[in-house]
Amino acid sequence: MVNQRRIIKKLPALLCDGATSQRKFYNEFMRYRWRLMQLRKHNPQRFSSLTVELVAVLEKIDKELQEQNH
């Protein structure tokens, strides 16, 4: 089961290329976070549809991994 709220919270860190503990990547993290919140604020339908697509893909991956373990 994939938690959509957790994905939204972790998404800016996943989009960064490095460790967010370094200043350069922390700034990039904050920029992604701000952009995502602006998308959520100004275009909520698009943000919602993109997160639903992302959750669907992650659930497919989770399902495949569960099937491989059994």
Side-chain angles (χ1 to χ4, degrees):
M1 182 84 184
V2 178
N3 187 345
Q4 186 172 0
R5 287 184 195 154
R6 189 167 182 213
I7 292 170
I8 293 169
K9 184 178 177 183
K10 298 282 184 175
L11 189 58
L14 293 173
L15 293 172
C16 289
D17 292 333
T20 56
S21 60
Q22 296 176 357
R23 182 182 179 117
K24 175 185 173 187
F25 298 114
Y26 180 75
N27 291 340
E28 185 179 348
F29 166 78
M30 293 305 283
R31 195 173 313 115
Y32 275 123
R33 184 173 161 199
W34 184 79
R35 287 179 182 168
L36 284 169
M37 291 307 113
Q38 292 301 307
L39 177 63
R40 186 180 203 179
K41 180 180 174 183
H42 296 293
N43 199 349
Q45 295 88 6
R46 182 69 178 148
F47 181 80
S48 179
S49 67
L50 290 172
T51 54
V52 167
E53 288 178 31
L54 181 58
V55 168
V57 169
L58 291 173
E59 285 180 350
K60 277 184 179 179
I61 292 171
D62 187 35
K63 183 179 176 183
E64 288 292 325
L65 292 174
Q66 294 295 328
E67 290 176 1
Q68 284 183 354
N69 288 336
H70 294 286

